[in-house]
């Protein structure tokens, strides 16, 4: 097929559009298949800045392109009218036209317009494209390595932010527990310093380093208080029985051991919608509701788990994190997420939500109806099905909402669907 990429005169040419046209006319096309490019594009959707409609349009266009058109130096072109595409997306034609323009200016697609503006593809007897007018994916093929690098960097950033949030939550609770357990020294000033760090508007990674430094200071002060008490006991020839409440603190009551059954409202404020509190590794059944609360109301009160997590928990009957991990293999490999624990699943919801083109409000509404864990499990199931059979699920976001409605009515057999995916 000739390396021609025309833009009709009725279009207002922009710098991004010109950049896409130059890429489409390139003769240096890497031999990258459809699946590799599709995965890279979906993983990089958020750093590229695609809207949910643009992502949905991209997903449909990828599904309509033929895998053979992506082989060798071929130029994959999709011919579909704006009217038909709008009916698939469920949006107006103007909205679809704006979404296509965004994909063109993001150098993913290029316009290949005919003189009449009509889109069509002509193939020879072998099925190869001879002439085609429509939307050309050649820019995405040429930029594959750049797009993949963007996706990898974005995933690394998400992992770093998630780890920073966990560090802040873990150490802030440890500091509260150490201060409350120490009777021989007044360490309450550290609580004020920690509060100032938690309430600051700094980046979460900077907060994590600040809390880590504060934790080191607390441990040094604790050691000094213990040494002072021990020296005083020796000078007064007292027995070691008087030090019995100090020794366990420095030798056996490690900061990590203080984390069991402890919570902190201030640490919870740092958790974003895509993260969960430290210690949520256990399954989200009613046993979480009975977890202990700290005695210090100022620093140790935790917001209770949403009632919706338990009201319809029958949806998670027979569903374990091991089952989810076994069933959802595609999302783990394609999106680079881990499903070792419920915490990992909750942390991956933003990636999965963007992966299926679901709006943030759509997922938030589902969490309000069903609870975060149930909504996350359904999201993982839908994303897995969409990756395995993209042609069968034209609107993954709509499919997710339908599943949530069935779950709210008690008619969703989530465990059965996951077992079916695991068997396949």
């Amino acid at each position: 097929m000739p390396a021609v990429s025309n833009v009709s005169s009725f279009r207002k040419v922009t710098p991004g559009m010109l950049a896409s046209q130059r890429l489409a006319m390139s003769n240096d096309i890497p031999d990258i298949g459809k699946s590799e490019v599709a995965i890279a594009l979906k993983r990089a959707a958020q750093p590229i800045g695609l809207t949910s409609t643009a992502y949905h349009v991209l997903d449909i266009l990828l599904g309509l392109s033929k895998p053979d058109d992506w082989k060798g130096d071929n130029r994959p072109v999709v011919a579909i009218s704006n009217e038909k595409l709008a009916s698939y997306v469920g949006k107006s034609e103007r909205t679809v036209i704006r979404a296509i323009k965004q994909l063109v200016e993001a150098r993913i697609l290029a316009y290949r317009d005919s003189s009449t503006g009509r889109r069509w593809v002509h193939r020879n007897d072998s099925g190869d494209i001879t002439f085609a007018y429509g939307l050309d994916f050649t820019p995405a093929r040429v930029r594959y390595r750049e797009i993949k690098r963007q996706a990898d960097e974005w995933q690394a950033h998400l992992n770093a932010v998630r780890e920073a949030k966990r560090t802040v939550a873990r150490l802030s609770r440890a500091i509260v527990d150490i201060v409350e357990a120490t009777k021989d020294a007044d360490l309450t000033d550290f609580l004020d310093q920690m509060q100032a760090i938690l309430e600051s508007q700094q980046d979460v990674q900077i907060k994590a380093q600040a809390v880590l430094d504060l934790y080191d200071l607390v441990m040094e002060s604790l050691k000094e208080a213990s040494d002072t008490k021990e020296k005083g006991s020796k000078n007064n020839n007292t027995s070691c029985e008087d030090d019995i409440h100090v020794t366990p603190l420095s030798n056996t009551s490690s900061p990590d051991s203080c984390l069991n059954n402890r919570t902190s409202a201030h640490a919870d404020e740092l958790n974003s919608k895509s993260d969960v509190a430290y210690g949520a590794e256990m399954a989200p059944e009613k046993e979480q509701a009975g977890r202990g609360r700290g005695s210090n109301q100022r620093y140790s009160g935790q917001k209770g788990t949403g009632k919706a997590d338990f009201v319809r928990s029958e949806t998670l009957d027979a569903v374990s994190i091991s089952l989810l991990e076994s069933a959802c293999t595609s999302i783990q490999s394609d999106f680079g997420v881990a499903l070792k624990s419920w915490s990992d699943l909750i942390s991956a919801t933003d990636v999965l939500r963007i992966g299926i083109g679901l709006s943030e409000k759509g997922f938030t509404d589902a969490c309000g109806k069903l609870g975060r864990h149930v909504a996350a499990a359904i999201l993982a199931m839908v994303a897995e099905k969409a990756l395995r059979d993209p042609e069968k699920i034209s609107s993954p976001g709509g499919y997710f909402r339908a599943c949530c409605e069935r779950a709210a009515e008690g008619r969703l057999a989530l465990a059965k669907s996951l077992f079916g995916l695991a068997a396949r």
Side-chain angles (χ1 to χ4, degrees), residues 4-271:
V4 178
S5 187
N6 299 322
V7 180
S8 293
S9 58
F10 61 82
R11 299 190 191 280
K12 182 179 180 180
V13 179
T14 63
M17 192 182 299
L18 289 176
S20 292
Q21 302 308 116
R22 285 193 293 269
L23 289 170
M25 297 176 68
S26 173
N27 292 320
D28 186 16
I29 303 176
D31 189 9
I32 306 297
K34 173 183 173 179
S35 60
E36 290 88 348
V37 177
I39 291 171
L41 286 173
K42 291 180 179 181
R43 291 181 59 217
Q46 191 164 351
I48 290 175
L50 298 183
T51 62
S52 58
T53 302
Y55 182 92
H56 196 178
V57 170
L58 173 64
D59 191 42
I60 292 173
L61 294 176
L62 286 170
L64 292 174
S65 66
K66 296 182 179 297
D68 290 341
D69 294 344
W70 295 73
K71 294 181 179 178
D73 58 354
N74 292 336
R75 300 171 189 274
V77 177
V78 179
I80 181 175
S81 67
N82 292 334
E83 180 182 5
K84 190 70 172 176
L85 197 54
S87 68
Y88 286 157
V89 179
K91 303 287 185 179
S92 67
E93 287 189 49
R94 295 300 305 169
T95 301
V96 167
I97 290 172
R98 287 194 294 268
I100 294 174
K101 184 178 179 182
Q102 185 186 18
L103 293 171
V104 171
E105 294 187 339
R107 295 178 295 160
I108 295 173
L109 295 174
Y111 291 116
R112 185 183 289 270
D113 295 330
S114 64
S115 57
T116 62
R118 181 172 170 266
R119 297 169 184 165
W120 56 277
V121 175
H122 181 271
R123 299 179 183 273
N124 58 22
D125 295 337
S126 302
D128 298 328
I129 296 177
T130 53
F131 294 99
Y133 298 97
L135 301 170
D136 190 353
F137 270 108
T138 301
R141 293 193 72 192
V142 175
R143 295 182 59 233
Y144 167 74
R145 291 181 178 84
E146 178 186 348
I147 294 171
K148 186 176 183 300
R149 185 181 69 253
Q150 279 184 284
D152 292 340
E153 290 174 354
W154 178 249
Q155 186 61 51
H157 169 71
L158 291 179
N159 292 339
V161 170
R162 182 169 60 245
E163 184 59 33
K165 290 175 180 176
R166 290 174 176 172
T167 298
V168 171
R170 175 172 54 86
L171 295 183
S172 61
R173 291 182 184 123
I175 291 172
V176 170
D177 289 334
I178 292 172
V179 171
E180 291 180 351
T182 303
K183 306 300 183 183
D184 300 313
D186 185 7
L187 305 178
T188 54
D189 287 345
F190 290 112
L191 295 180
D192 295 332
Q193 296 180 43
M194 183 188 71
Q195 182 70 10
I197 294 172
L198 297 180
E199 293 178 352
S200 67
Q201 300 301 317
Q202 293 178 317
D203 181 82
V204 67
Q205 291 176 283
I206 298 177
K207 286 184 180 181
Q209 185 59 50
V211 173
L212 181 61
D213 294 340
L214 182 63
Y215 174 80
D216 290 339
L217 291 176
V218 172
M219 294 304 296
E220 290 179 5
S221 299
L222 184 64
K223 185 176 184 302
E224 290 177 1
S226 178
D227 292 343
T228 301
K229 178 66 176 177
E230 185 177 353
K231 290 179 180 178
S233 298
K234 289 181 179 178
N235 292 337
N236 295 325
N237 295 321
T238 59
S239 66
C240 61
E241 292 178 356
D242 294 333
D243 295 331
I244 203 165
H245 63 287
V246 174
T247 304
L249 180 60
S250 60
N251 294 336
T252 61
S253 298
S254 66
D256 290 335
S257 69
C258 296
L259 300 180
N260 295 329
N261 298 324
R262 298 290 299 166
T263 58
S264 171
H266 308 289
D268 285 340
E269 294 174 1
L270 295 170
N271 291 340

